[in-house]
Structures are given as structure tokens and as C-alpha cells.
Amino acid sequence: MLVVAAALGVAFSQTVLAAPAAALAGNPLATASSLPFHYPAFDKIKDEHFIPAFNEGMRIQLKEIDAIANSKAAPSFDNTIVAMEKSGALLTRVQTIFGNLQGANTNDKLDAIDSEMSPKLAAHADAIYLNAKLYARVKSLYDKRTALKLDAESEHLLERYHTDFVRAGANLSAADKEKLKAINGTIAKLQTTFTQNVLKETNASGLVVDTREELAGMSPAAIDAAAAAAKAKGMDGKFLVAVVNTSGQPPLAELTNRAVREKLMALSLARGSHGGEFDNREVVLKIAKARAEKATLLGYENFAAYSLEDQTAHDTASVNKLLSELAKPAVNNAKKEAADLQAVVDADKGGFKIGAADWAFYTDKVRAQRFAFDENQLKPYFELNNVLTNGVFYAANKLYGLSFKERKDLPVYNPDVRVFDVFDADGKQLAIFIADMYARSNKQGGAWMNEYISQSSLLGTHSVVANHLNIPKPPAGEPTLLTYDEVKTAFHEFGHALHGMFSNVKYPRFSGTSVPRDFVEYPSQVNEMWAVWPEVLANYAKHYKTGEPMPKELLDKVIASKKFNQGFLTTEYLSASLLDQRWHQLTPAQIPTDVLGFEAQSLKDMGVDFAPVPPRYRTTYFSHSFSGGYSAGYYAYLWSEKLDADTVEWFKENGGLQRKNGDWFRAKLLSRGGTDDAMNLFRNFRGRDPVIEPLLERRGLTGK
């Protein structure tokens, strides 16, 4: 997953054009950090520094924008477009650092600041994009863009700015602009509430049991961790199993007590919808209505139509077609898999019908029967540091010539965070990489990448990029052993990091991952292929005690099982994607009153209402959809995977893990950011449009 600290749609610089007021004297956010690559001075930044810096940042940028809009000089590319690119240095610095910390290391003060500032920041964006004089300058340049004879990147920037202004409501009447401002403020506030509710509900929803025996099947270390978690919350003698943000919970694959599994599953599925202070049902309805009203005001049929127009998919019909075509074969596969699981239950004389709480547990049993291994056999070979340094970094070295050097002198916001200098093949430093791998109660769920500093030759900046995972931290002295999925996630997120670090653009608006949402996951998904590439895996998959490499026969079984359980995985993903579209293809008049009823009916209408496979995210904890990042865009992972699967075939056809292949991918796509139409970038790399056959084959949807 990619998370970009919101830049309000305007690309802000890292150098201050106007000096901050004396109110920021002594505030470390007032000026760019003096640390290498403007790496944030985490040791000096305090919670109380943010609000005054936010306010001053907005004041300065509006002053800069006012100067551009009211300039007596005739509009030019430099005095209008480039000037906007250089505006807002203080605000972007504050907003980027705050947004990243609020996701990775929040507290009650930061949450309160987020609640206070989100509507103000939305109003600030409106003050820029709904500035009639500013838009008039942009439009005058856009209308004569051919005559300006700009270079390709500059012309694309002008076109992009014009599109941004139009989509933000620049062509609305004065009255409608005021309506839009109110809606945007409402949406910003509601999205913040939704996000905070999800995290607080997740932290409050752990499963508490009284005895170790109830957690039979979990490792002794995991049970000890559950005991420590309960003790930390004042429940000495009990055991607390934390939950993650997806519907499925990792312990479900291990717990032998079915009643405990069912409690954990029910608890997970009920989050945000069972009353109490963190209930998100009303929040969802208000968000859906506000977004639908915004789309209608801007002239679109619904919010999905508004959102998709700016993506490579372009329209709801294209997305609906992709999802509907895959839904039936995916569910059919899932039902076949359920029959296999039921056969094991019946053979064990279980006396019950397979349910959502049983799927992971019996999947491991079927996997063990079919491929003679289970996930726990892999974990001793997947020690975190080996995976990162001898796997993820090793692949980047072989493919792109990168090298990494850990440094301990830069400040971090949490002692578990690691920092690495990243050097290019020519020995010059390319970027700084931050690795934040462990789960914390004050850290949002899932895995993501973000940037503290984005590359731009206009500004002379280089990338400071961070990866965040949520790996459970073992007790002191114990190794951190990963699941196969966590290994893939580490490679995936580093694919996003590479996209940011390799950026070689002039304008910050186009830096790194500034591409459509349904394209941004593509390079990161490609990077997953190296997790099981024989040369890479042999370099990192070594037993944490003995150093012995993973046996080839075990790896062969892992590869042979890659299509295993794809019916489940595809169905749970499609269910969430279809829900996301269904909510955002409503008009204001169609917004329901019953969230769970609408969800159930939608799943039924779309043919994915298969109870043993619930959506990967149910509506009330679907942060991708309702926190703003992937609104009407959760389909993007599948859309990107079509490109990814085709690209994996290209790498295989051209010899795999070789510098010539990495250099080509970097030059034609990874370094280009958003400087061209996303699909043009793909065609320049691949030599043609993508085909879907590799994706169908990968997901076992070909009937073979």
C-alpha cells in the first residue's frame, strides 16, 4: 500500500520563499532540517510545534499564492506554474512530517491536532484551487500551451495543473464554490473521525481469554506475548490476542479451539458496527453522502465517476467490467476450495460446516496434505534482518546496483526504527531509507510507504522514503520470524520505495509515486517476484539457528502452492473492491440508512455473498475506502496486477535478475514518476499494451 502525506494537490517545495513569522522562533519545523537530505530532526520535533507551524505554513502559502494571482505581469509558465510549484515550503514540511507520524506513531495529542487541522487544510486547498484570478492565469496558459513550446515535462505539468483546478471546482459559480468548500470541510473531518475510530476500535477489540489452553496451537512465544499484552492493560493472568485491520486474523490459522476461533472472527467482523464510541456506521453514511454531493456539484453522476476519470481505468464501466468478469470464477474457485476444507473437517469427524473462522486453520491442513508442508515450516528461514538486508536489499543490488549502509546517528521517532543510506551504482548517495517494521498500538494497521522528502531537480532535493509494516514484535531475545505473506509484503513495500528513490524528475508535482492510484501499486507488485527468485531466496532464506539454507524441496513446494487458495484470496479482495464501488456509485438520493443491510445486499447482488469468505475489509473498518486514500479505488490492486503479471513475464523472457533488465525498467518507468500518461510509460517499457492472460494464469482463473 502507498500512503502519500497529503500535499493538497499542489506540489510544494522544500525551500522557504517567505520567512516564517517570529511566532515560530525555536520551532524546528520553521526551516528545512540541516540533517543529510533534510532528514527530519525527530529528536527536536514536539507535538506542540505542529499547530503554530501549520497555521504559519498556510499563512505564508496564501501570501505566495496571492502574489502569483495578483501579479501585474502577464502570465508565463515561470511566474505562474513554476511559482506554484515553489510555494508552500513550510506547509508541506509540516504536513508531511505530521501525516507520517500520525500514521506511524500517533498519540492523543496528534489525534486532536488531526481533528482540528483536517478541515482547515481542506479549506486552505479550496482557497488555492477556487481562486478565480489564479485559475484565470492557469487557463490562459493552458489555452495557448502549444504556442509556448514547452518541453514535454513542462507541458504535461501545465496540463496537469489545469486538470487539477477544473476537478477542484474552478469552473463553478461563486455560490457553488461556497457549497463545495463546506462539503470538502465536512469530508475532511469525517475521514479523520473514521480513521481514528478504526485504530481505537482495533486497539479495543483484542480477544481476551483466561487460560493458555484456550490458545492451543499458537507458539509458546506468541502465547507469552499475549500474556504480556494483557498484563500491560491491567489484566494480569489473562491473555490478550490483538487484532489487525483485515477481516482475517493471523492466529486463526493456528488456534485449535474452534470456539476461540469463532470468537476472534466474530470480534473482527463486528468492528465499527456494534455500538459504542467507535461505531463507524453513521460516519460511513455521512461520508458516502458528502462525496456523492460533491460529485453531483462538480457535474458527475457519482463519486466513483469523478474519481475514476483521473485514473488509468477512466470510468466506472471499465472497473465494473473487470470486477464482474472475475467475480464468478473467483467464487467458484472458493467454493471448490471450501469443499476440500470440508472434506478434512468431515474426515476428522468435526461435525460442523466450514465457516470463516475455520478457513485459515483448515487451509493449512489441506496445504500440508497436498504439498507436504505448512506455513510454520517456512518461518525459521525468514528472519527479519536476513529478509531485509540479504533479501530485499540484495535483490535491489543485483537488479539496480544499489548498496545500503545502516547508520545509527540520525534521530528516530521510535527505537525500533532503522535508517539506511542508499547508494547508486556509481557510488553516489541516492536516498535515505527508513524501515519501521514492528506493530505498535499507536500505529495504523497494514503496510505502507511514504516519503518525508521527495526528489526534484527544480528544488535540488533527494528522496527520504519510509516503509512501514506491522510485524508482531517478539519478546526480548527472541528472533523475529516472518510468515511468507510478511516476506512478500516487505518486498512489495520496497517496490514503492524504489519508485520514490529512483525518481528523476524536475517538478515535485511528478515526483516518484505521483501517478494514478490504479498504477501506483504496479511497480511494488512487480518487486514481489524477487522474494522467491532462486538466487535471491538462497541468499536470505537461511535457518535462524543453524544458518542452513531452506531445502530446495521446501521451496519447490512453496512455488507449487502459489495458486493454492487463490479462490479465497481473489474473492475476499473482489468483495471489498465491489463494496468500495457500490458505495461510491450511489447518488445522494440513493444513500441507504442501514450500512450492514446495504453491505449484505450488495454482496448478494454481485454474487460474492459466500459466508466462509467475508470481504477483506467490511465497510466499517475499510480504511482504504473511507479514509480518503483509495476511495472508489480499491480495485487498483487488481488493475495494477494485470500490468504486474505481464511485466513478470517480460523479466522472465529477458533473463530475470539482471542489471540490464533493472536498468531498463528504471529508465523507462520507475524514474519517470508522473511525467507522462501512465499507460504510455508502460508501453514505452513493454513495447505494447498489457494483456490479461498472465494475471488469469497466476490467479488460477483459466480453468487449467
Side-chain angles (χ1 to χ4, degrees):
M1 174 188 176
L2 173 78
V3 172
V4 179
L8 299 175
V10 177
F12 305 124
S13 75
Q14 305 292 337
T15 55
V16 179
L17 298 183
L24 294 190
N27 189 320
L29 296 169
T31 58
S33 166
S34 61
L35 295 172
F37 286 15
H38 303 307
Y39 179 96
F42 292 116
D43 55 334
K44 297 178 180 177
I45 298 169
K46 309 298 181 187
D47 295 345
E48 58 267 23
H49 291 140
F50 284 111
I51 288 181
F54 266 124
N55 290 331
E56 184 64 5
M58 287 187 285
R59 185 192 71 80
I60 289 175
Q61 190 180 27
L62 288 181
K63 187 175 180 180
E64 294 166 342
I65 292 297
D66 184 66
I68 298 168
N70 292 291
S71 172
K72 300 210 185 297
S76 71
F77 183 77
D78 285 338
N79 72 19
T80 302
I81 304 301
V82 174
M84 283 193 289
E85 281 288 276
K86 290 181 176 179
S87 75
L90 172 58
L91 181 59
T92 198
R93 180 165 54 252
V94 177
Q95 195 171 6
T96 301
I97 293 173
F98 176 82
N100 293 346
L101 289 178
Q102 213 265 334
N105 203 52
T106 195
N107 57 49
D108 290 342
K109 289 182 180 179
L110 293 184
D111 285 348
I113 294 170
D114 192 24
S115 296
E116 178 181 344
M117 296 309 302
S118 58
K120 293 182 179 180
L121 290 166
H124 177 75
D126 287 337
I128 296 172
Y129 282 113
L130 300 181
N131 184 317
K133 291 182 179 179
L134 183 64
Y135 175 56
R137 294 179 70 88
V138 173
K139 188 174 187 304
S140 71
L141 293 169
Y142 175 78
D143 288 343
K144 60 180 180 182
R145 60 192 180 281
T146 303
L148 295 177
K149 298 190 182 305
L150 300 170
D151 63 83
E153 183 177 345
S154 297
E155 183 171 348
H156 190 57
L157 181 68
L158 174 56
E159 293 170 346
R160 187 65 254 183
Y161 262 102
H162 181 261
T163 298
D164 289 345
F165 271 85
V166 171
R167 287 176 54 77
N171 284 325
L172 295 177
S173 68
D176 282 345
K177 284 180 180 178
E178 292 305 310
K179 291 180 183 177
L180 182 61
K181 289 177 184 178
I183 292 172
N184 285 341
T186 296
I187 291 173
K189 188 173 182 179
L190 289 169
Q191 287 177 173
T192 297
T193 300
F194 184 94
T195 300
Q196 294 182 6
N197 281 350
V198 169
L199 179 59
K200 291 173 182 177
E201 172 83 335
T202 297
N203 287 335
S205 295
L207 175 68
V208 179
V209 299
D210 296 324
T211 65
R212 294 183 72 92
E213 289 71 26
E214 290 172 278
L215 301 182
M218 292 174 59
S219 69
I223 297 175
D224 289 343
K231 185 175 182 179
K233 290 200 171 186
M235 296 181 287
D236 202 359
K238 295 184 182 292
F239 301 83
L240 173 63
V241 178
V243 297
V244 297
N245 198 38
T246 50
S247 294
Q249 300 298 318
L252 291 172
E254 303 171 331
L255 291 165
T256 59
N257 186 319
R258 185 170 190 251
V260 175
R261 290 201 305 270
E262 288 184 317
K263 287 179 183 178
L264 180 58
M265 188 79 250
L267 177 151
S268 177
L269 294 175
R271 282 173 293 151
S273 64
H274 58 90
E277 59 180 319
F278 308 134
D279 195 300
N280 259 336
R281 286 174 291 184
E282 285 301 313
V283 181
V284 164
L285 295 177
K286 291 177 181 177
I287 290 174
K289 185 174 183 181
R291 288 177 178 169
E293 289 173 343
K294 175 176 179 174
T296 299
L297 191 61
L298 290 169
Y300 296 86
E301 183 178 357
N302 51 56
F303 188 82
Y306 165 74
S307 177
L308 294 172
E309 180 192 55
D310 208 32
Q311 304 299 313
T312 64
H314 294 308
D315 54 56
T316 56
S318 298
V319 174
N320 291 344
K321 182 174 184 292
L322 174 70
L323 298 179
S324 62
E325 284 179 348
L326 295 179
K328 185 174 181 179
V331 173
N332 286 342
N333 276 11
K335 289 180 177 178
K336 292 176 184 176
E337 292 166 1
D340 291 339
L341 304 185
Q342 189 66 51
V344 177
V345 172
D346 294 343
D348 290 346
K349 302 190 184 306
F352 59 85
K353 187 176 180 181
I354 201 81
D358 308 308
W359 194 284
F361 183 78
Y362 284 94
T363 290
D364 272 2
K365 286 181 174 289
V366 173
R367 181 187 288 111
Q369 289 179 359
R370 192 168 298 171
F371 303 103
F373 86 98
D374 63 47
E375 290 285 350
N376 287 326
Q377 287 178 269
L378 302 176
K379 291 179 74 171
Y381 298 97
F382 293 154
E383 189 274 325
L384 174 59
N385 188 63
N386 267 343
V387 170
L388 180 63
T389 60
N390 296 321
V392 174
F393 290 173
Y394 176 81
N397 173 262
K398 291 296 181 182
L399 199 61
Y400 305 109
L402 299 185
S403 57
F404 303 81
K405 183 179 180 181
E406 187 164 11
R407 57 189 302 172
K408 306 283 189 178
D409 59 318
L410 292 177
V412 291
Y413 52 83
N414 183 281
D416 291 330
V417 173
R418 301 173 68 182
V419 183
F420 299 83
D421 284 337
V422 184
F423 299 93
D424 215 335
D426 61 5
K428 294 180 181 178
Q429 188 169 356
L430 177 71
I432 293 177
F433 174 68
I434 299 170
D436 181 358
M437 300 301 191
Y438 288 115
R440 294 184 292 275
S441 62
N442 65 341
K443 184 179 183 181
Q444 72 179 31
W448 69 97
M449 166 272 199
N450 54 30
E451 287 188 292
Y452 286 92
I453 305 291
S454 299
Q455 178 275 332
S456 164
S457 64
L458 177 70
L459 308 175
T461 53
H462 300 272
S463 178
V464 176
V465 63
N467 276 175
H468 306 269
L469 275 65
N470 265 281
I471 298 165
K473 188 176 180 180
E478 295 288 329
T480 303
L481 304 180
L482 309 187
T483 65
Y484 178 52
D485 283 344
E486 287 167 339
V487 171
K488 287 200 303 180
T489 299
F491 278 84
H492 175 100
E493 296 305 331
F494 198 73
H496 284 308
L498 290 169
H499 203 177
M501 292 189 291
F502 284 152
S503 178
N504 186 22
V505 304
K506 181 175 182 179
Y507 302 111
R509 175 65 176 79
F510 294 145
S511 183
T513 54
S514 299
V515 297
R517 286 290 186 187
D518 55 5
F519 192 81
V520 76
E521 296 296 337
Y522 153 52
S524 55
Q525 289 173 329
V526 170
N527 205 57
E528 292 180 28
M529 72 177 288
W530 309 117
V532 293
W533 195 260
E535 180 185 347
V536 178
L537 191 123
N539 198 61
Y540 77 86
K542 298 177 181 179
H543 199 284
Y544 77 98
K545 285 184 178 178
T546 66
E548 291 295 314
M550 178 184 288
K552 183 180 183 301
E553 57 269 24
L554 184 55
L555 173 60
D556 290 344
K557 291 171 183 176
V558 172
I559 294 174
S561 71
K562 286 179 74 173
K563 293 181 187 176
F564 179 70
N565 206 38
Q566 280 296 321
F568 171 88
L569 294 172
T570 306
T571 300
E572 69 158 4
Y573 168 77
L574 283 173
S575 298
S577 299
L578 288 161
L579 276 179
D580 177 43
Q581 288 301 313
R582 182 60 69 94
W583 277 109
H584 290 106
Q585 290 184 25
L586 297 173
T587 67
Q590 293 173 330
I591 303 299
T593 57
D594 177 7
V595 169
L596 300 187
F598 177 80
E599 177 181 279
Q601 187 62 48
S602 296
L603 295 174
K604 183 177 181 180
D605 291 344
M606 297 179 291
V608 290
D609 56 332
F610 184 43
V613 186
R616 182 170 176 80
Y617 300 99
R618 294 193 70 192
T619 300
T620 51
Y621 49 89
F622 199 171
S623 295
H624 286 76
S625 185
F626 290 98
S627 294
Y630 282 71
S631 311
Y634 193 61
Y635 77 94
Y637 291 91
L638 190 61
W639 192 274
S640 292
E641 192 182 349
K642 176 182 175 181
L643 309 181
D644 155 38
D646 198 4
T647 298
V648 168
E649 291 305 306
W650 178 89
F651 272 104
K652 291 178 179 178
E653 291 164 4
N654 287 277
L657 191 73
Q658 296 185 33
R659 274 291 302 280
K660 67 180 182 69
N661 293 335
D663 288 347
W664 179 259
F665 193 42
R666 175 178 179 174
K668 294 296 183 180
L669 199 143
L670 293 179
S671 66
R672 298 292 308 283
T675 57
D676 194 0
D677 176 83
M679 293 310 297
N680 282 343
L681 295 179
F682 179 87
R683 293 184 196 101
N684 291 341
F685 158 71
R686 190 68 168 100
R688 58 164 172 74
D689 286 329
V691 296
I692 199 170
E693 284 74 17
L695 170 61
L696 299 177
E697 174 66 22
R698 172 188 291 186
R699 287 191 171 258
L701 301 178
T702 61
K704 295 180 181 179

